[in-house]
Amino acid sequence: MINLKDKSAIVTGGARGIGKGIALKLGSLGANLVIADLNEDSINSCVTELKGLGYKAIGVKCDVSKEEDAVNLIDSCQKEYGKVDILVNNAGITKDTLLMRMKKEQWDAVISVNLTGTFNCTHAAIKYMLKQRSGAIVNLSSISGENGNIGQTNYSASKAGVIGFTKACALELASRGIRVNAIAPGFIATEMTAAIPENIRNGMVNAIPLKRAGVPEDIANAVAFLSSDSSSFITGHILDVNGGGFLPGIGGA
Ligand SMILES: NC(=O)c1ccc[n+]([C@@H]2O[C@H](COP(=O)([O-])OP(=O)(O)OC[C@H]3O[C@@H](n4cnc5c(N)ncnc54)[C@H](O)[C@@H]3O)[C@@H](O)[C@H]2O)c1
C-alpha cells in the first residue's frame, strides 16, 4: 500500500489536467501539497477543492520557465512544510506546427517551459533534497519524446530532453538518496489534447491497443508509485503509460 503521509509534494502545472489528477492522488495518499501554476484563479479553485477533501494544500503562482519563480516555488514548500520530499515536474505546453512553418518563438516557448522549466525546478529542489539526503523527482516526458511526432519537433525535442535530463540526474543524485524518474504518457484526455481536431483525436484513440484514451488518474497512479517508498530501488527509469502505445507520426502529446 502506497503511503505518502506527511510527505511534502510540489506539482507544477497542478491546477488542471494531469497535474490536478496527480495532486488529487498524492493528497489522497496523505501528502501535503504545493500547487504551482500560471493563473491565480485556477490555482485558488484547485486548492479550495483539495482542502475541501481534507488535504493540506497551498498554491503558488509560478512560471516554471523563470528561474526566480522556480526558486520561490521550492522555497515556499520548504517554508510551509519544513522539507521538500517530492517534486513532480508536470507543467508543459505544446505549440504544434510542421517544422517548415515553425517560428523560432514556438521552438523557444516549448523548450523553455518543458525542458528549462524542469531544470529550474529540479535545480532549486535539490538544494533542500541534498541536505535531507532524500527526495523523489518525477518528470513528465511523452511518447512524442520517445518516438518523435509529426508537427511536434519542438515538443518531441523537449520531451526527449526530459528523458536525458532524468537519466543524468538519477546518476548524479543516487548516492544522496534522491531518486529521479520520468513518465512517458501516451494520449491522455485533457484540455491539451482537446485542442487536437476531433477526427485526428479519434484516429489516435483507435490506434491505442487498449482501445481507450488515458485519463489523468492513469498517470497519477504511476506518479504515486514513483514518488513513494514502494519504488525505493527504482531510479533513472522512464515508465510508459500509454495503453500499449500507438504508431508514431499520427499525432499525440
Ligand atoms: N495530455 C496528454 O496526452 C499528454 C501526453 C504526454 C505528455 N503529457 C504531458 O503531461 C503534462 C500535463 O499535460 P496536460 O495534458 O495536463 O496539459 P494541460 O494543458 O491540460 O495542463 C498543463 C498545466 O500546466 C500549466 N502550465 C503551462 N505552462 C506553465 C508554466 N510555464 N509554468 C507553470 N505552469 C504552467 C497550465 O496552466 C496547465 O494548468 C505536460 O507536461 C504534457 O506535456 C500530456
Side-chain angles (χ1 to χ4, degrees):
M1 174 68 182
I2 295 172
N3 185 357
L4 299 177
K5 192 160 164 22
D6 296 329
K7 299 272 187 197
S8 63
I10 300 160
V11 185
T12 69
R16 78 171 198 200
I18 292 173
K20 187 173 172 190
I22 292 167
L24 285 163
K25 182 72 189 180
L26 300 189
S28 76
L29 295 168
N32 300 326
L33 302 159
V34 181
I35 303 302
D37 214 301
L38 291 173
N39 178 282
E40 212 137 7
D41 288 343
S42 56
I43 296 172
N44 289 341
S45 87
C46 179
V47 167
T48 304
E49 189 179 332
L50 292 164
K51 284 182 170 170
L53 291 163
Y55 312 152
K56 272 196 200 162
I58 60 165
V60 178
K61 189 170 182 292
C62 165
D63 177 347
V64 295
S65 68
K66 296 190 174 136
E67 188 181 11
E68 61 276 20
D69 280 19
V71 169
N72 176 57
L73 166 66
I74 306 296
D75 286 352
S76 302
C77 178
Q78 175 72 21
K79 204 165 152 217
E80 184 71 19
Y81 301 122
K83 57 199 179 123
V84 179
D85 293 317
I86 297 164
L87 169 65
V88 185
N89 283 309
N90 165 80
I93 59 168
T94 52
K95 296 223 177 274
D96 296 354
T97 191
L98 294 175
L99 179 61
M100 66 177 90
R101 298 200 191 108
M102 189 172 291
K103 299 198 166 52
K104 175 74 166 27
E105 299 82 68
Q106 293 169 306
W107 172 269
D108 286 343
V110 170
I111 298 293
S112 68
V113 176
N114 299 4
L115 185 55
T116 308
T118 299
F119 162 81
N120 285 339
C121 295
T122 303
H123 194 248
I126 63 165
K127 181 178 128 192
Y128 296 109
M129 290 178 171
L130 286 169
K131 279 193 197 131
Q132 293 165 192
R133 299 191 77 83
S134 69
I137 299 171
V138 183
N139 298 324
L140 269 287
S141 179
S142 167
I143 193 168
S144 298
E146 299 174 313
N147 294 349
N149 198 16
I150 291 171
Q152 291 196 314
T153 49
N154 50 1
Y155 184 81
S156 299
S158 73
K159 294 298 186 179
V162 166
I163 291 175
F165 181 70
T166 300
K167 292 185 175 183
C169 285
L171 292 174
E172 281 194 21
L173 299 170
S175 64
R176 311 295 187 93
I178 303 166
R179 297 183 301 105
V180 190
N181 292 290
I183 292 171
F187 183 97
I188 311 297
T190 65
E191 286 180 53
M192 180 183 271
T193 45
I196 299 168
E198 197 181 350
N199 59 331
I200 298 178
R201 225 170 44 225
N202 291 340
M204 290 163 70
V205 173
N206 273 333
I208 298 171
L210 286 177
K211 293 290 171 211
R212 70 167 174 90
V215 291
E217 291 73 16
D218 292 316
I219 306 304
N221 288 332
V223 171
F225 171 64
L226 289 176
S227 54
S228 76
D229 292 342
S230 300
S231 60
S232 60
F233 202 48
I234 300 175
T235 195
H237 186 70
I238 314 303
L239 180 59
D240 288 336
V241 183
N242 59 24
F246 53 83
L247 293 174
I250 59 164

